[in-house]
Amino acid sequence: MNIARWSVSRPVAVTMRIAALVFLGAICFLRIPVDLLPRVDLPVVTVNTNWPNTPPQEIETQITRPIEQAVSTIPGLYSVSSNSELGESQVRVTLNYGVDVDKATVDVLQFVQRASRSFPNDPNITPPVVYKLDPNSFPILIFGVSGIDDPIKLRTLLVNEIAPTIESAGGVAQVTVSGGRERAIIVDVDPDRMQAFGITLPDVVSRIRAENLSQPAGIAQAGQREYILRSSGYFRSVEDAENTPLRASDGRQVLLKEIATVRDDGREQRVWTRLNGEAAAGITISKQSAANTIETAQNVKKQIAAIEKSYPELKFRVAYDQSAFVKDSIHLLQEHAIIGGTLAILAILFFLRNLRSTLVVALSIPISIVSTFALLYFNGFTLNTISLSALTLATGLIVDDAIVVLENIFRHMERDKKSAVDASVSGTQEILQAVLA
């Protein structure tokens, strides 16, 4: 089939096809997710385990090494590296390229769960968290929040009310609160009194844990109805905790307040957050992997504006905004593409000195680029710095192809004295394979 002759003999069909591609590309351009980097599956799986207030040597021998030994038999393994710090173990599993990262993550999770059975019997050890490395999972927004002087009240309000509200915004995957002080009920035991009553510290811990719980209590029937019963034994006040019964060595009952002081306070603060020199807390927001960075940031900012109306005492300030960087990067690449295309068109007009020929080359640039957006959308790609850089570079290739075809058509017209129609067919067909290559 002679594509050039078919195109020349059916101008209406070709025009409508090009218009349809441009129209479809323009619609897809408005729907393509915008992100900083393309979606890639890096072959890296990370295992994090926390054991508070434990030295690195203990973390290394009790936590890190069992996990390393367990994951060393994963299929497709390339390397295993680890980092043991105060209270934290991190094991990074690097796989060979081409390995299914999702399946490998499940395999790592299963092996880590087996290894966790050999961990020390300490309730403070958090279950290992297994996740694959995703460049697009990094936070897109970080807010500093101030306005409440009490760091405990500030953090409690952010965790219980503000964070769930922000998580309801479209595209938000996770909201993390940092800074402030976490509320805690502190029990300061008196060693002398404990010794006098013959009570040990494990006895106190076990009794508090046994008294402060809520568990199912069965089902009760009343006529045609059934009621689910639950025994709620959570402490409702400091006084409830103070009246926790303990058993002395001689069998006598002792209350917790007789050997300890119970107070409503906060955990020891090891991390401080400041906003312009003032005490504050931080809110870190991560988006869903398939969400649009700019749209998600806009949705979050709308939620923040609504929260500021409901809680006028809170002051939100943006500490980091990835969407602004993405916008600037996208606009800069678009600006460079427009400048490059414009300069190419001016150069063609200067050398050809033919407005009609220049118009043909100029139209090829937006038609090709806008039509490409349809391919990006239907193949699941995002509009990011890499894809836009590629389109910017492709602008020069489009101009080169258009100039080569146009110059060959002119050569046939001037050398062989052919008509414009015949020269278009023969000139295009002559170099069609080279241009496609």
Side-chain angles (χ1 to χ4, degrees):
M1 179 182 178
N2 194 322
I3 298 178
R5 186 175 299 280
W6 183 85
S7 301
V8 171
S9 61
R10 292 174 174 81
V12 176
V14 173
T15 303
M16 294 305 296
R17 179 182 64 84
I18 294 176
L21 288 175
V22 172
F23 182 70
L24 180 62
I27 295 177
C28 293
F29 174 73
L30 301 176
R31 297 175 177 267
I32 296 179
V34 180
D35 216 332
L36 181 62
L37 297 172
R39 299 170 187 166
V40 293
D41 285 333
L42 297 178
V44 177
V45 180
T46 304
V47 183
N48 279 351
T49 309
N50 292 326
W51 191 4
N53 303 323
T54 305
Q57 296 86 353
E58 197 80 11
I59 293 286
E60 170 71 19
T61 57
Q62 301 290 334
I63 303 295
T64 303
R65 286 183 184 175
I67 294 178
E68 287 180 336
Q69 295 172 357
V71 301
S72 60
T73 57
I74 296 294
L77 178 67
Y78 178 76
S79 66
V80 178
S81 60
S82 64
N83 185 27
S84 300
E85 300 178 356
L86 176 63
E88 183 179 0
S89 167
Q90 183 182 81
V91 178
R92 174 172 290 190
V93 181
T94 304
L95 307 166
N96 294 316
Y97 280 94
V99 174
D100 189 344
V101 183
D102 293 330
K103 183 178 181 300
T105 304
V106 176
D107 293 338
V108 171
L109 177 60
Q110 293 176 348
F111 280 89
V112 169
Q113 287 177 343
R114 296 176 187 174
S116 63
R117 299 172 185 172
S118 63
F119 288 174
N121 187 18
D122 189 339
N124 293 321
I125 300 178
T126 61
V129 179
V130 180
Y131 61 91
K132 63 179 182 179
L133 186 62
D134 183 6
N136 292 315
S137 64
F138 295 112
I140 63 171
L141 284 168
I142 299 177
F143 287 92
V145 187
S146 61
I148 299 179
D149 296 332
D150 189 343
I152 298 178
K153 291 183 179 179
L154 178 60
R155 182 181 177 90
T156 303
L157 177 63
L158 294 179
V159 172
N160 295 337
E161 300 184 29
I162 305 302
T165 304
I166 298 177
E167 286 177 347
S168 64
V172 175
Q174 184 180 12
V175 178
T176 304
V177 178
S178 60
R181 291 186 66 189
E182 189 175 353
R183 184 190 179 196
I185 305 299
I186 307 299
V187 179
D188 293 324
V189 296
D190 188 328
D192 296 333
R193 294 184 181 180
M194 289 176 56
Q195 186 176 5
F197 287 108
I199 299 175
T200 62
L201 187 60
D203 294 335
V204 178
V205 174
S206 61
R207 286 304 303 163
I208 292 176
R209 187 175 297 149
E211 291 293 330
N212 186 38
L213 54 80
S214 176
Q215 58 185 8
I219 298 176
Q221 292 184 346
Q224 300 296 324
R225 294 185 178 183
E226 284 188 349
Y227 296 92
I228 299 177
L229 303 181
R230 189 170 188 86
S231 174
S232 180
Y234 289 137
F235 295 147
R236 299 181 180 273
S237 63
V238 173
E239 289 74 17
D240 290 345
E242 290 177 336
N243 293 324
T244 301
L246 305 173
R247 185 174 295 277
S249 58
D250 57 359
R252 188 160 52 91
Q253 181 173 294
V254 180
L255 299 181
L256 180 61
K257 63 183 178 182
E258 296 181 44
I259 64 167
T261 301
V262 183
R263 53 191 171 87
D264 189 347
D265 202 348
R267 292 180 179 270
E268 180 185 5
Q269 190 169 3
R270 305 298 298 270
V271 178
W272 283 262
T273 303
R274 294 289 184 267
L275 179 64
N276 294 333
E278 300 177 359
I283 293 181
T284 303
I285 300 167
S286 302
K287 72 176 185 66
Q288 298 172 1
S289 59
N292 188 318
T293 299
I294 297 177
E295 290 184 359
T296 303
Q298 292 175 348
N299 294 335
V300 171
K301 291 176 182 178
K302 291 180 181 178
Q303 288 282 29
I304 295 295
I307 291 172
E308 288 179 329
K309 294 180 179 178
S310 302
Y311 300 90
E313 70 277 10
L314 295 180
K315 299 178 182 178
F316 290 84
R317 296 180 184 176
V318 179
Y320 171 75
D321 187 357
Q322 189 186 91
S323 65
F325 178 75
V326 173
K327 285 181 181 179
D328 293 340
S329 302
I330 300 299
H331 290 164
L332 187 62
L333 287 171
Q334 291 175 345
E335 180 182 342
H336 287 177
I338 294 173
I339 293 175
T342 303
L343 292 177
I345 293 171
L346 293 177
I348 295 170
L349 180 61
F350 176 77
F351 286 103
L352 295 182
R353 292 184 175 86
N354 188 311
L355 185 61
R356 184 177 180 182
S357 301
T358 304
L359 183 62
V360 172
V361 177
L363 287 176
S364 66
I365 298 175
I367 289 174
S368 302
I369 292 179
V370 174
S371 301
T372 306
F373 291 136
L375 293 175
L376 293 175
Y377 177 77
F378 288 113
N379 284 280
F381 295 113
T382 61
L383 203 62
N384 52 73
T385 53
I386 304 300
S387 59
L388 279 177
S389 298
L391 287 176
T392 303
L393 295 174
T395 302
L397 180 63
I398 295 170
V399 174
D400 291 342
D401 292 341
I403 291 176
V404 169
V405 174
L406 191 62
E407 190 274 337
N408 200 46
I409 292 174
F410 266 85
R411 187 173 63 87
H412 278 259
M413 293 174 63
E414 294 178 355
R415 185 192 65 180
D416 301 332
K417 307 301 180 183
K418 292 182 179 181
S419 63
V421 174
D422 294 336
S424 299
V425 174
S426 59
T428 303
Q429 194 65 29
E430 185 178 8
I431 61 173
L432 179 61
Q433 293 182 355
V435 171
L436 288 177

